[in-house]
Amino acid sequence: MNWHPIGDVSDIPLRGARCVKTPHGKIAVFRTAENEVFAIDDHCPHGNGPLSQGIVHGKAVTCPLHNWVISLETGKALGADEGEVRTLCIRNEDGKLFIALETMMMAAAE
Ligand code: FES
């Protein structure tokens, strides 16, 4: 697994997110109120809304454009909506964050 450093967890506010640009597209990295981190594509499956600008609640984010709710764990739309975004492996090592680029390349090749 090729772990790529993306900065410190303290760069992301609790219940917030930041957008990370990678060779494989924009990734939204979220930090929940419980200090868990998740990484998913920064494109809402409904209409490409920037999920990193959405509202984080529990382990989900509400898209800022039309309020779809996306699970940060599975990348799937919750409730009656259907669709999903790619999730990425993310690791928190003493406050330093890493995402798995190999996983991304494999997903991109599918
Ligand atoms: S683009 Fe996200 S809900 Fe429409």
Side-chain angles (χ1 to χ4, degrees), residues 33-106:
E34 285 75 37
N35 205 27
E36 290 181 279
V37 286
F38 295 94
I40 63 175
D41 273 340
D42 194 18
H43 299 287
C44 177
H46 178 227
N48 282 333
L51 294 173
S52 59
Q53 292 174 34
I55 294 171
V56 178
H57 46 98
K59 293 180 187 177
V61 60
T62 296
C63 178
L65 294 195
H66 317 99
N67 299 325
W68 275 31
V69 179
I70 309 297
S71 164
L72 299 176
E73 292 180 297
T74 66
K76 291 188 173 154
L78 300 175
D81 300 314
E82 285 183 23
E84 71 183 284
V85 293
R86 184 173 51 163
T87 59
L88 295 125
C89 294
I90 186 163
R91 204 169 76 193
N92 182 350
E93 247 181 47
D94 297 328
K96 305 269 182 215
L97 298 178
F98 300 84
I99 52 173
L101 282 183
E102 226 167 62
T103 308
M104 296 171 66
M105 285 188 269
M106 282 162 48

